[in-house]
Amino acid sequence: MIDMSDLFKEIEEYADENDIPIINKVSSQLLIETVKNKAPKSILEIGTAVGYSALLMASYMPIDGKIITIEQDANRIDTAYDFITRAGRIEQIQLLDGDASDILLQLEGTFDLVFIDAAKGQYLDYLQKIIDKLVVGAVIIADNVLFRGMVMSEEPPQKRYRTIVKRLREYLDFVSHDPRFSTTIHSEGDGVAISYYRGANK
Ligand SMILES: C[S@@+](CC[C@H](N)C(=O)[O-])C[C@H]1O[C@@H](n2cnc3c(N)ncnc32)[C@H](O)[C@@H]1O
């Protein structure tokens, strides 16, 4: 039986050495708490990287729960497959290889929890593509929504981050004002938005 804390440490070191962005400590605590409270049976993750957050969620969700996770980088998905296999979770975590913007339109079934952690400029597009797959009460966790402090800053963002910042603001505006969602923005770390889906008729 593999020691998961050793494996998590190994993935953290691998990510650090290979410049692979994985969830930070603050966001992972929020993710773990939310997964424990919600006890989701079906999770969708957008942005696998090498499987760290997927394994984290798998460790705290019900044993018979399932995760679908999407990643477009072929090397990362291979590495994720290895780590997930070593963790003994390959039956529980399904890896989908490709651009989430396309794959989301082809998904079947419904989700109790969605973790959005891929292209920062696409969060609203991702959410809009899966709204009809959310169960009432589903939770959507979006990471890095304050993007290095730029999203809430009154200073204009550097030119190369302008679109990301604009689109993250649009995401936060949508989940904060659309009556179908109830959202809390956690400003710790790089910012995490946790939204509850109230249903289509709100
Ligand atoms: C921040 S990393 C994910 C980290 C991972 N959730 C974790 O904490 O272990 C974001 C990942 O999203 C992937 N990505 C970016 N845009 C994507 C897209 N359109 N479709 C699928 N994956 C995408 C990137 O290749 C990258 O590996």
Side-chain angles (χ1 to χ4, degrees), residues 3-4 61 81 83 93 96 105 114 128-129 152 194:
D3 181 327
M4 280 306 289
M61 76 192 293
Y81 185 88
F83 283 131
I93 303 175
L96 298 181
L105 296 170
V114 180
Q128 280 166 338
K129 284 179 173 154
M152 292 298 188
I194 302 187

Side-chain angles (χ1 to χ4, degrees), residues 8-175:
F8 281 125
K9 204 156 168 260
E10 187 183 329
I11 305 175
E12 286 164 18
E13 285 167 5
Y14 177 89
D16 192 40
E17 281 160 17
N18 293 281
D19 247 342
I20 292 165
I22 61 169
I23 191 166
N24 64 37
K25 290 283 166 221
V26 177
S27 299
S28 57
Q29 277 317 311
L30 284 167
L31 187 65
I32 290 168
E33 271 173 41
T34 311
V35 169
K36 277 188 188 167
N37 290 337
K38 182 78 196 152
K41 288 288 187 83
S42 74
I43 293 181
L44 170 65
E45 177 180 66
I46 309 172
T48 317
V50 291
Y52 184 82
S53 52
L55 283 172
L56 211 53
M57 293 190 282
S59 304
Y60 290 94
M61 76 192 293
I63 194 84
D64 58 343
K66 300 275 187 215
I67 300 179
I68 290 177
T69 182
I70 307 172
E71 173 59 54
Q72 67 179 3
D73 180 300
N75 289 330
R76 289 183 184 176
I77 217 159
D78 284 350
T79 308
Y81 185 88
D82 289 343
F83 283 131
I84 291 167
T85 303
R86 283 175 55 199
R89 300 271 183 180
I90 208 67
E91 300 294 323
Q92 190 178 14
I93 303 175
Q94 184 185 5
L95 284 155
L96 298 181
D97 182 355
D99 185 343
S101 300
D102 302 326
I103 291 179
L104 292 177
L105 296 170
Q106 298 156 22
L107 292 178
E108 288 176 1
T110 57
F111 299 102
D112 303 320
L113 186 146
V114 180
F115 179 44
I116 306 181
D117 193 22
K120 308 301 158 209
Q122 300 300 317
Y123 280 18
L124 186 53
D125 181 59
Y126 297 150
L127 180 59
Q128 280 166 338
K129 284 179 173 154
I130 49 111
I131 279 190
D132 62 345
K133 297 180 179 77
L134 298 174
V135 299
V136 174
V139 56
I140 300 101
I141 303 161
D143 201 13
N144 311 106
V145 288
L146 298 183
F147 199 64
R148 309 174 198 178
M150 290 181 215
V151 169
M152 292 298 188
S153 172
E154 287 178 7
E155 297 289 314
Q158 291 171 39
K159 200 172 169 196
R160 65 187 161 137
Y161 297 130
R162 227 177 261 165
T163 305
I164 288 181
V165 169
K166 178 173 166 283
R167 292 207 181 152
L168 282 170
R169 284 179 181 150
E170 286 166 1
Y171 177 82
L172 292 179
D173 187 57
F174 179 80
V175 291

